[in-house]
Amino acid sequence: MDYELVVKNGLVVLEDGQENADIGISDGIIQAVESGLSGRQVIDAQGKFVIPGGIDQHVHLEMPFMNTVTSDDWETGTKAAAVGGTTTLIDFIDPVKSKSLMDMVKERKALAENRAVIDYGMHMALIGGVPAFMDEIPAVVEAGIPSFKMYSTYASKMSDAEMLKAMAVIADAGGMAMVHCESDAIIEYLRTKLVAEGKMSPQYHPVSRPEDAEGEAVERVIALANHAGAFVYIVHVSTAMGVEAIQRAHNRGQAVWGETCPQYMVLTEQEYQRPGFEPAKYLCQPPLRSQPNIDRLFQGLAERTLLTIGSDHCPFFYKGQKDIGKDVFTKIPGGMPGIECRLTLTYTYGVVPGKIDLNRWVQATSTNAARIFGMYPQEGCIRVGSDADLVIFDPTRSGVITKSMLHENVDYTPYEGVAYQGLPVMTIARGEIIAKEGDFVGANHKGRFIARKPIQPVE
Ligand code: DUC
Ligand code: ZN
């Protein structure tokens, strides 16, 4: 039998093991994983890995934030993701007080439709001071959006009391809480103090968001979730304190999932020592950390305290957006681009030096997100019956990252000059080749909204 497309001779990375096998694809679905397959179109993956398409569960496309909007939209952001080996992403709906959550679901879906080139889901963010949102949570879960982001700081923050209540409602509705954990009290105290002392340059940003601001908030949010009986997912863990709080919860038997991001694994707080306004390029919340924290994040991934690696792609132009805060660091829009380099960076700095193995890498960049966020086994694995979302990854490619090789709509990359070993050389989405050798080639491919299932326990 001839399949529409066969990927031959690659090392197929499965959820647990690896095998040399061919993959037969028809109708956008994986039909066979075995040797000796034939197809009308054949791709030779000899010497390369064939991995499940990356899933990036933490992305901010055209998000209004700090008086501006992230610079990648649904088209440019999903194209960059595709070239970088991501075939599914989950973005956020950021509500405004005056609208209903379900109206915002409709609006956001309309924005993505016809522009996204890879499949996408959505998380719903909640904001403090709007009790009416609570009543809509079950309808949002029903609409295929079972994950709710809450912030412990920023203007949209929720108080502990609000968060506890929301967690209980979310748990009843079959959803999960995802929380940005940084202590608002510590940050506000330090920001006010630094500004009063005239310490306004971006070099002071990390001073205003110390490690214990994260550690304290992770601990507290886990306690709230435990009380509410809610699944909780801690986004962008950047510190050893955060990892250890999650580990303690696991030791008590609590369902807590932890995520980290490439920027916290590859870049260090040294970037904030750059001269002038340059540190603004690296300004994100939480900030970049020290090497011992980085080591603990890798250990956390290896021992499964942390289960996922998301990009937290949140791009702003250095010229024209970051400089909104040229007079005071508290006004610099925080966030950095990273949707396109997620696989190559984590392979280079995780798998190549042996800090995580090939399976752990695939689990953390794809499979675990599918399981946690209710998309498995349609996504996140190479199995008969799953979507034919695949990446051919060449471990022999090496070089140095430069802005000119990337497709993100932003005027810099924080990874300029960073060495890489291993690159995605082909991305296949539902059986169509959409990226090849660093170019987007999927002009006719349309991304689809993935209505996700209610949340289930995941070990
Ligand atoms: N962190 C960022 O760096 N940007 C946007 C939101 C966030 O939490
Ligand atoms: Zn984020």
Side-chain angles (χ1 to χ4, degrees), residues 58 60 92 149 236 312:
H58 193 151
H60 302 280
F92 293 86
K149 172 97 172 272
H236 52 50
D312 197 0

Side-chain angles (χ1 to χ4, degrees), residues 142-164:
E142 195 63 19
I145 302 176
S147 40
F148 295 83
K149 172 97 172 272
M150 295 182 269
Y151 294 92
S152 62
T153 188
Y154 297 137
S156 52
K157 66 177 175 284
M158 294 176 94
S159 68
D160 288 359
E162 288 175 304
M163 211 182 274
L164 179 61

Side-chain angles (χ1 to χ4, degrees), residues 181-243:
C181 296
E182 284 186 295
S183 160
D184 192 58
I186 295 175
I187 293 167
E188 277 314 309
Y189 167 72
L190 290 171
R191 276 157 68 112
T192 308
K193 187 165 174 289
L194 288 165
V195 171
E197 291 167 358
K199 296 173 175 164
M200 317 263 217
S201 70
Q203 283 79 1
Y204 290 104
H205 169 76
V207 183
S208 74
R209 306 183 96 94
E211 292 173 29
D212 61 348
E214 176 171 296
E216 183 279 325
V218 173
E219 201 84 62
R220 178 162 38 94
V221 163
I222 288 174
L224 295 176
N226 190 41
H227 194 82
F231 294 122
V232 66
Y233 179 94
I234 311 293
V235 297
H236 52 50
V237 175
S238 67
T239 60
M241 288 175 90
V243 176

